[in-house]
C-alpha cells in the first residue's frame, strides 16, 4: 500500500510504554490498519505481559522506576 508516495513496507512505527490489555491492542490494530505492511515495534518494560501482542519486534527494557 502506498501512503503519500511511500510504500508502507518502508515504514517502521515504534510504540513505547506500558502494555495495557485493552488499549495497546487497539493502538497496534489502528496502526496496522493505516500502515498494513509497516514494521511495528513495541518497546515496553521487562515482565510486561505481551502474550497475544502481534508485532514484528518486541523490546523489553529494565523499568526505570525500579
Amino acid at each position: 500500500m502506498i501512503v503519500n508516495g511511500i510504500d508502507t513496507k518502508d515504514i517502521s512505527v515504534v510504540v513505547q510504554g506500558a502494555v495495557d490489555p485493552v488499549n495497546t491492542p487497539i493502538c497496534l490494530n489502528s496502526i496496522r490498519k493505516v500502515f498494513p505492511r509497516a514494521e511495528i515495534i513495541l518497546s515496553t518494560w521487562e515482565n510486561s505481559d505481551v502474550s497475544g501482542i502481534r508485532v514484528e519486534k518486541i523490546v523489553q527494557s529494565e523499568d526505570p522506576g525500579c
Side-chain angles (χ1 to χ4, degrees):
M1 171 181 237
I2 306 296
V3 176
N4 292 329
I6 300 171
D7 192 327
T8 59
K9 72 176 177 55
D10 296 325
I11 296 173
S12 294
V13 178
V14 178
V15 177
Q16 178 186 6
V19 173
D20 178 90
V22 173
N23 293 311
T24 300
I26 290 170
C27 174
L28 297 172
N29 289 336
S30 68
I31 293 167
R32 183 68 66 208
K33 189 178 213 180
V34 176
F35 303 108
R37 296 173 55 197
E39 171 187 51
I40 300 176
I41 302 166
L42 175 63
S43 176
T44 190
W45 314 130
E46 291 176 340
N47 303 316
S48 293
D49 182 6
V50 294
S51 58
I53 299 291
R54 296 179 61 199
V55 295
E56 284 65 40
K57 293 182 185 172
I58 296 176
V59 177
Q60 291 182 299
S61 302
E62 183 179 339
D63 187 339
C66 289

